[in-house]
Amino acid sequence: MAIEIERKFLVNGDKWRSLATGITYRQGYICTKKEAVVRVRIVGDRGYLTIKGLTVGNSRAEFEYPIPLSDAQTMLETMCEPPLIEKNRYLIKHGELMWEVDEFFGENAGLIIAEVELKAENQVIELPEWVGMEVSHDPRYFNANLIKYPFSKWTD
Amino acid sequence: MAIEIERKFLVNGDKWRSLATGITYRQGYICTKKEAVVRVRIVGDRGYLTIKGLTVGNSRAEFEYPIPLSDAQTMLETMCEPPLIEKNRYLIKHGELMWEVDEFFGENAGLIIAEVELKAENQVIELPEWVGMEVSHDPRYFNANLIKYPFSKWTD
């Protein structure tokens, strides 16, 4: 079991684009209840099944297993609530930390989010200049909610 | 992906007991919606995560992955709706077919079910003498429903 401590930010401008090459992500959710989220994900040409537990503060239990690509494809097509989440992920090292910048497509086109994983909840971090407002605690930005209320339908 | 074609029966008498040794099963469900069931199971000392799709006739898509025992224990304790299903499973060969006899404990104590997996929906099978009434299509006997309405609470 891994404990995941993450902070999530909006992104300013385009300076991050020249710093990395994006990898294609396609993912959906079999289950999105409070106690557990079950995610199916295809990263490039590899399939993964991920189980996440209850979020407590910024921490969350997470179990991830590689699965055959064809299993992941069948699960995405027949078991996940549409729309699927489609995005390119860019991994950008800044100081000691690895940032993940997600550029969304499909029903969430226009949304770009930067996430960083921390070792402790109170860890001090240096923000790159292209990182904007923090949205760690705004549930609209949870991936599971980007399916129910995609970015293209937000009114504010 | 495996397609599972199963028939399920009640059990008469005790003659099946002398034919095999039981293995302990402990399992729970992270998700039990129509499109997908996510099951966590500990068989003896091995953990498994299983995803089952929509049932069409007697057939159902099924994906099963071995997972670490400690992952399965955490999922059973923190992500699954109680009560957990606890049973001993006996594997009994009869003719060409392998029967699974499940003897339930806990909230389903008293219930014993025999299941057989088939190669085709119309396959003719020879029933052992200890096999009774067929319950393949009775949803009360689905494992997921034995949590919501355990055998000890049935009124008929």
Side-chain angles (χ1 to χ4, degrees):
Chain A
M1 186 181 69
I3 298 291
E4 200 181 41
I5 308 173
E6 282 181 350
R7 290 179 67 186
K8 192 180 284 195
F9 300 83
L10 297 183
V11 166
N12 293 329
D14 269 329
K15 283 199 177 160
W16 56 274
R17 279 192 194 277
S18 60
L19 305 174
T21 305
I23 303 168
T24 310
Y25 280 65
R26 195 160 158 258
Q27 68 193 44
Y29 293 84
I30 292 178
C31 171
T32 56
K33 60 181 190 180
K34 196 178 50 142
E35 299 78 13
V37 168
V38 179
R39 183 186 69 201
V40 181
R41 182 183 252 183
I42 295 175
V43 180
D45 59 0
R46 289 166 296 135
Y48 298 93
L49 186 63
T50 308
I51 319 285
K52 298 187 179 204
L54 205 62
T55 300
V56 181
N58 287 322
S59 303
R60 183 170 215 190
E62 178 173 329
F63 306 94
E64 184 157 83
Y65 310 105
I67 62 173
L69 178 61
S70 61
D71 290 11
Q73 284 165 334
T74 301
M75 289 181 206
L76 284 176
E77 283 157 22
T78 65
M79 300 179 188
C80 295
E81 182 186 0
L84 300 179
I85 294 232
E86 294 170 274
K87 62 189 180 186
N88 279 346
R89 172 164 288 179
Y90 301 80
L91 295 181
I92 302 174
K93 194 146 194 276
H94 183 86
E96 291 303 302
L97 293 176
M98 184 62 79
W99 288 78
E100 297 174 349
V101 177
D102 285 345
E103 179 185 24
F104 290 82
F105 300 103
E107 302 227 9
N108 285 292
L111 181 63
I112 305 176
I113 292 175
E115 279 186 27
V116 68
E117 192 161 339
L118 306 178
K119 293 197 176 67
E121 296 207 17
N122 58 359
Q123 184 175 343
V124 176
I125 60 173
E126 187 207 334
L127 301 182
E129 58 174 330
W130 42 268
V131 160
M133 187 178 78
E134 179 159 13
V135 294
S136 298
H137 300 288
D138 186 335
R140 294 181 304 172
Y141 294 93
F142 296 174
N143 271 317
N145 289 336
L146 292 177
I147 291 169
K148 289 177 189 148
Y149 309 106
F151 185 66
S152 59
K153 294 187 177 146
W154 293 9
T155 52
D156 59 332
Chain B
M1 185 180 70
I3 297 291
E4 202 180 41
I5 308 173
E6 281 181 350
R7 290 179 67 186
K8 193 180 282 195
F9 300 83
L10 298 183
V11 166
N12 293 329
D14 268 328
K15 283 196 177 162
W16 57 273
R17 278 191 195 277
S18 61
L19 305 175
T21 306
I23 302 168
T24 310
Y25 280 65
R26 196 160 157 257
Q27 67 193 45
Y29 293 83
I30 292 179
C31 170
T32 56
K33 61 181 188 181
K34 196 176 51 137
E35 299 78 14
V37 167
V38 179
R39 184 185 69 201
V40 182
R41 184 183 249 183
I42 296 176
V43 180
D45 60 359
R46 289 165 296 137
Y48 298 93
L49 186 64
T50 308
I51 320 284
K52 299 187 180 205
L54 204 62
T55 299
V56 180
N58 288 321
S59 303
R60 183 170 214 188
E62 179 173 328
F63 306 94
E64 183 156 85
Y65 310 106
I67 61 172
L69 178 62
S70 61
D71 290 10
Q73 284 166 333
T74 302
M75 289 183 208
L76 284 175
E77 283 158 22
T78 65
M79 301 180 188
C80 294
E81 184 185 1
L84 299 180
I85 294 232
E86 294 171 274
K87 61 189 181 187
N88 279 346
R89 172 164 287 180
Y90 302 79
L91 295 181
I92 303 174
K93 194 146 193 277
H94 183 85
E96 291 303 302
L97 293 174
M98 185 61 80
W99 289 78
E100 296 174 349
V101 176
D102 284 345
E103 179 184 26
F104 290 82
F105 301 103
E107 302 228 7
N108 284 293
L111 181 62
I112 305 176
I113 291 176
E115 279 186 27
V116 67
E117 191 161 338
L118 306 180
K119 293 197 177 70
E121 295 209 15
N122 58 359
Q123 185 175 344
V124 176
I125 60 174
E126 185 206 334
L127 301 182
E129 58 173 332
W130 40 268
V131 161
M133 187 177 78
E134 180 159 12
V135 295
S136 298
H137 300 288
D138 186 335
R140 293 182 302 173
Y141 293 93
F142 296 175
N143 271 317
N145 288 336
L146 292 177
I147 291 169
K148 290 178 188 147
Y149 309 106
F151 185 67
S152 60
K153 294 186 177 149
W154 294 9
T155 52
D156 60 332

